[in-house]
Amino acid sequence: MENDFTSWLAENFSPANDKTILGIGDDAALLASPSEPNPPTTSSLLPREQQLTVVSTDLLSDKVDFLVKDISPVAIGYKAASVSLSDIAAMGALPLSMTVAIALEKKNSSPPFNSNRKTDQGSNGTPIQDLNFAKEIYTGIKESLRPFGVDLVGGDTNYHYGPLTICTTAIGTVSSKNVWRRSGAQKGDLLVVTGRLGGSLLGHHLNFRPRVAEATRIAQTTNIHAAIDISDGLAIDTSRLATASHLGAVLDLSKIPVSDSAVLLSRQISTMSVVDPQKGKGAIEHALYDGEDFELLLALSPDSAEDLFTKLANEIPLTTIGYFTDRPGLWEGRLDEQNCSKKELAPLPIDGFLHSL
Amino acid sequence: MENDFTSWLAENFSPANDKTILGIGDDAALLASPSEPNPPTTSSLLPREQQLTVVSTDLLSDKVDFLVKDISPVAIGYKAASVSLSDIAAMGALPLSMTVAIALEKKNSSPPFNSNRKTDQGSNGTPIQDLNFAKEIYTGIKESLRPFGVDLVGGDTNYHYGPLTICTTAIGTVSSKNVWRRSGAQKGDLLVVTGRLGGSLLGHHLNFRPRVAEATRIAQTTNIHAAIDISDGLAIDTSRLATASHLGAVLDLSKIPVSDSAVLLSRQISTMSVVDPQKGKGAIEHALYDGEDFELLLALSPDSAEDLFTKLANEIPLTTIGYFTDRPGLWEGRLDEQNCSKKELAPLPIDGFLHSL
């Protein structure tokens, strides 16, 4: 669904000015520096190295991305900021700045408008969430940004007649020579993932640490062909990486690093008596489809992968979980049969936690 | 109210990295270019001229900033984008790029989550607004951006259980030597406004053209000490400009250019029989307090003002409406008594359409 709507957007908003290096369709946009005297073309082949500006926007709402009734405003702010930092990391970029817009919830206590006011006066309604609540959200945002030296540079705090809504825009920088896009994976490239996957709803989706430091280390160490962060789930995000690169992808389910939470969740649910669509889901399904892992998924050559593991396996949790193929689609297969002429591939359903249209 | 909360934010989020030239508290943030080898300090005195990145975020919601039931999604998108372009213009900057995050409305048709899902699956609920509605919003955004060559570089489209919410982030560029801030007005500076004020709710708040071209022309022509765009109302925005510059401001009510809509509105309401808080409001009150004029309010020396009027009065509607004084506060007085020793000043109530906390 995201792909259809995103395609419509990309078709209808082709770049009009020469500062737009990469517009709609990736984890973040890439903009040429305004001070560049000779802006590059919009082609993927940039004429020479320069620092690009990276921008990504996310919107999170109560009852969709978190539950105000169950978690603290500090945790909500932390998640909102971290989600956008993760998008910047997925470009191999360094985040520097963030703007935040928040709509706190109020309810109608008097008519919000009348025939003489087409819009609210901005002062009607009864706040459900007060200023201290807003300050706690910003405290959570600060906790997310501080370890990475990222500045909150703009904050727009409002009330509206609806659920708490937070929009974060992260801005960062990356060299044009090192930037990671979703496109760029090559046939035979390996799929490497950071961390462990699945079961994020048990807590990880709120308290994860975005892979900003890891992205920087990896970008400094080896050549990455393509990357994405796992927000909607390993299956769908692998599929996006493959599609953007005009390839297919094979996942070796036996290699996927499954989180303890995914295992716990699969046991909890299988002992429950209520009818539930997730009943009986195994740990591996949680790892494939839960989403909100916010781990990095990387495409790189086997040589680069060997280099990466040699240099960084001690400091960053890295696992090879699959490879790219010229057969379009998402497949289940074995890594050790990658180069066999008669490898067996089974289609893998593409599903996930769809955050966007 | 905005000032208190904004002050809290500014105190708690002092810049941590040297790319932040200006953080929270103005119409937009100012960031040093990532490619600058010697980033300037965060002092307001920049060491040398460079192109800065300008960023501003706004959030608009149904029933607060527009009414979905009364106006088209194209008009909503146009307004959302134009509000952010106006913020960039208020810095004397040129907008280049925009990201948009939209939360469309859906309602609960099934429980949005259960004990096994702490968050919504992203696919529950029944849409109130469909994909065509979203496309029309983006069409309105395009209509706002196209005349200025601004690119939509990111779009995040979601559903949530609440009113249509749109978050726009505009990114632009300005020379560090020409950037306009809210601070910088000097005692004796004149207050000059573009266009006519008041009554925006009769239509202007939806179809205004942000003063992007005018800001560029003015910045090229003369030296502006400080600027703001009138979003919350002439009175409160004048007060913000004065406060940021550690000064007071005097408005000459006889000089304020009142829009036809403000006059019409004052007549319409005075003949209405219903009890209404706005009943009896005169046209000048609409000009002072309605807000959403999205005109530029400029502080400049009398010499610069003369220069500006000589060069641009034929192409841009410009009116001198007051001056800055070292007596803190917002005052009503006469422009032609500015230099009298015994000028009479009466306090002017500070009120407006408060968009933010």
Side-chain angles (χ1 to χ4, degrees):
Chain A
M1 205 156 66
E2 184 195 58
N3 291 335
D4 282 353
F5 196 75
T6 304
S7 300
W8 179 86
L9 277 178
E11 274 169 35
N12 282 271
F13 287 91
S14 53
N17 73 58
D18 56 15
K19 300 297 181 192
T20 304
I21 305 297
L22 181 66
I24 288 162
D26 213 302
D27 289 298
L30 295 175
L31 310 176
S33 168
S35 57
E36 282 296 318
N38 299 312
T41 66
T42 54
S43 131
S44 62
L45 292 166
L46 298 173
R48 59 182 185 77
E49 186 165 1
Q50 59 167 294
Q51 283 302 119
L52 301 178
T53 295
V54 189
V55 188
S56 182
T57 293
D58 293 283
L59 185 146
L60 276 62
S61 291
D62 182 24
K63 298 190 178 71
V64 177
D65 302 286
F66 50 78
L67 285 179
V68 165
K69 72 180 181 65
D70 285 351
I71 65 164
S72 74
V74 175
I76 292 168
Y78 181 88
K79 176 174 182 175
S82 299
V83 165
S84 281
L85 293 185
S86 184
D87 283 325
I88 301 295
M91 306 296 285
L94 187 71
L96 291 168
S97 323
M98 184 172 286
T99 63
V100 175
I102 299 179
L104 300 167
E105 183 169 4
K106 64 178 175 179
K107 63 178 179 185
N108 282 2
S109 56
S110 60
F113 33 76
N114 55 47
S115 59
N116 303 314
R117 288 295 304 183
K118 294 296 179 207
T119 58
D120 189 33
Q121 285 276 17
S123 52
N124 287 313
T126 307
I128 307 284
Q129 291 147 0
D130 64 10
L131 284 189
N132 284 328
F133 185 93
K135 288 179 180 177
E136 288 187 50
I137 293 173
Y138 280 107
T139 301
I141 289 168
K142 194 173 181 173
E143 283 180 13
S144 168
L145 302 187
R146 201 168 29 192
F148 306 112
V150 176
D151 282 341
L152 182 77
V153 297
D156 184 24
T157 318
N158 312 272
Y159 274 107
H160 73 170
Y161 299 98
L164 175 66
T165 304
I166 307 180
C167 177
T168 51
T169 303
I171 300 172
T173 185
V174 67
S175 157
S176 58
K177 294 291 182 199
N178 287 333
V179 61
W180 304 342
R181 307 179 187 198
R182 292 188 184 179
S183 60
Q186 294 169 24
K187 182 188 168 186
D189 273 0
L190 295 178
L191 260 169
V192 171
V193 71
T194 59
R196 308 186 78 77
L197 308 178
S200 70
L201 65 96
L202 291 187
H204 181 78
H205 79 107
L206 292 171
N207 60 25
F208 71 98
R209 191 176 168 107
R211 295 291 192 183
V212 171
E214 293 81 358
T216 305
R217 284 291 285 144
I218 293 167
Q220 287 165 344
T221 303
T222 194
N223 182 27
I224 301 297
H225 287 159
I228 193 170
D229 71 325
I230 303 176
S231 54
D232 289 359
L234 175 62
I236 196 164
D237 286 322
T238 300
S239 170
R240 285 173 180 149
L241 209 50
T243 302
S245 301
H246 305 290
L247 292 170
V250 180
L251 288 173
D252 186 334
L253 302 196
S254 71
K255 304 292 186 188
I256 292 171
V258 177
S259 74
D260 292 346
S261 293
V263 175
L264 192 62
L265 205 60
S266 67
R267 287 180 188 156
Q268 277 184 347
I269 292 172
S270 64
T271 60
M272 287 179 66
S273 58
V274 295
V275 176
D276 187 284
Q278 305 216 0
K279 188 164 185 270
K281 215 184 205 184
I284 189 68
E285 277 83 21
H286 285 289
L288 281 167
Y289 301 114
D290 279 358
E292 303 219 312
D293 301 302
F294 300 108
E295 296 292 350
L296 297 171
L297 186 62
L298 309 165
L300 67 177
S301 73
D303 283 352
S304 293
E306 197 178 324
D307 190 41
L308 182 68
F309 278 85
T310 305
K311 290 175 179 162
L312 294 186
N314 285 337
E315 52 178 293
I316 300 174
L318 294 166
T319 314
T320 304
I321 59 170
Y323 61 92
F324 289 88
T325 166
D326 52 11
R327 195 166 150 192
L330 185 66
W331 308 95
E332 180 188 343
R334 287 176 51 159
L335 256 173
D336 57 12
E337 291 181 355
Q338 178 178 0
N339 299 314
C340 297
S341 56
K342 287 197 177 178
K343 55 189 171 240
E344 285 186 26
L345 299 178
L348 198 57
I350 299 168
D351 194 4
F353 181 120
L354 291 173
H355 284 86
S356 302
L357 298 185
Chain B
M1 203 155 71
E2 185 195 57
N3 291 334
D4 282 354
F5 195 75
T6 304
S7 300
W8 180 87
L9 277 178
E11 275 168 34
N12 282 272
F13 287 91
S14 52
N17 73 58
D18 56 15
K19 299 298 181 194
T20 304
I21 305 297
L22 181 65
I24 288 162
D26 215 302
D27 289 298
L30 295 174
L31 311 176
S33 169
S35 58
E36 282 295 318
N38 299 312
T41 67
T42 54
S43 132
S44 63
L45 292 167
L46 299 173
R48 58 182 185 78
E49 186 165 1
Q50 60 167 294
Q51 283 302 118
L52 301 177
T53 296
V54 188
V55 188
S56 182
T57 293
D58 294 282
L59 184 145
L60 275 61
S61 290
D62 183 22
K63 299 191 179 69
V64 176
D65 301 286
F66 50 77
L67 285 178
V68 165
K69 72 181 179 65
D70 286 350
I71 65 164
S72 74
V74 174
I76 293 168
Y78 181 88
K79 176 175 182 174
S82 300
V83 165
S84 281
L85 293 185
S86 183
D87 284 325
I88 301 296
M91 306 297 283
L94 188 72
L96 292 167
S97 322
M98 183 173 285
T99 64
V100 175
I102 299 178
L104 300 168
E105 183 169 4
K106 64 179 176 179
K107 63 179 181 185
N108 281 3
S109 56
S110 60
F113 33 77
N114 56 45
S115 59
N116 303 315
R117 287 295 305 184
K118 293 295 179 208
T119 57
D120 188 33
Q121 286 276 19
S123 52
N124 287 315
T126 307
I128 306 284
Q129 291 146 1
D130 63 11
L131 284 189
N132 284 329
F133 186 93
K135 288 180 180 176
E136 288 188 49
I137 293 173
Y138 280 106
T139 300
I141 290 167
K142 193 173 182 175
E143 285 181 13
S144 169
L145 302 187
R146 200 168 30 190
F148 307 112
V150 176
D151 282 341
L152 182 78
V153 296
D156 184 24
T157 317
N158 311 272
Y159 273 106
H160 74 169
Y161 299 98
L164 174 67
T165 304
I166 307 181
C167 178
T168 51
T169 303
I171 300 171
T173 184
V174 67
S175 157
S176 58
K177 295 290 183 199
N178 286 334
V179 62
W180 304 342
R181 307 181 186 196
R182 292 187 185 180
S183 60
Q186 294 170 24
K187 182 189 166 186
D189 274 0
L190 296 177
L191 260 168
V192 171
V193 69
T194 59
R196 309 187 76 78
L197 308 178
S200 70
L201 65 96
L202 291 188
H204 181 78
H205 79 108
L206 292 170
N207 60 26
F208 71 97
R209 190 175 168 108
R211 295 290 192 183
V212 170
E214 291 82 358
T216 305
R217 283 292 283 144
I218 293 168
Q220 287 165 344
T221 303
T222 195
N223 181 28
I224 301 296
H225 288 158
I228 194 171
D229 71 324
I230 303 177
S231 54
D232 289 1
L234 174 62
I236 197 165
D237 287 321
T238 300
S239 170
R240 286 174 179 147
L241 208 50
T243 303
S245 302
H246 306 291
L247 292 171
V250 179
L251 287 173
D252 186 335
L253 302 197
S254 71
K255 304 292 185 188
I256 292 171
V258 178
S259 74
D260 292 346
S261 294
V263 174
L264 192 63
L265 206 59
S266 66
R267 288 180 188 156
Q268 276 184 346
I269 292 172
S270 63
T271 60
M272 286 181 66
S273 59
V274 295
V275 176
D276 187 284
Q278 303 214 2
K279 188 164 184 272
K281 216 186 205 184
I284 189 70
E285 277 81 23
H286 284 290
L288 281 166
Y289 301 115
D290 279 358
E292 303 220 311
D293 301 301
F294 300 108
E295 296 292 349
L296 297 171
L297 186 61
L298 308 165
L300 68 176
S301 73
D303 283 352
S304 292
E306 198 179 322
D307 189 41
L308 183 67
F309 278 85
T310 304
K311 290 177 179 159
L312 296 186
N314 285 337
E315 54 178 290
I316 301 175
L318 293 166
T319 313
T320 304
I321 58 169
Y323 61 92
F324 288 89
T325 165
D326 52 11
R327 195 166 151 191
L330 185 65
W331 308 95
E332 180 188 342
R334 287 177 49 160
L335 255 173
D336 56 13
E337 292 180 355
Q338 179 177 0
N339 299 314
C340 297
S341 56
K342 286 196 176 177
K343 58 189 169 235
E344 285 185 26
L345 298 179
L348 198 58
I350 299 168
D351 193 4
F353 182 120
L354 292 172
H355 285 87
S356 302
L357 299 182

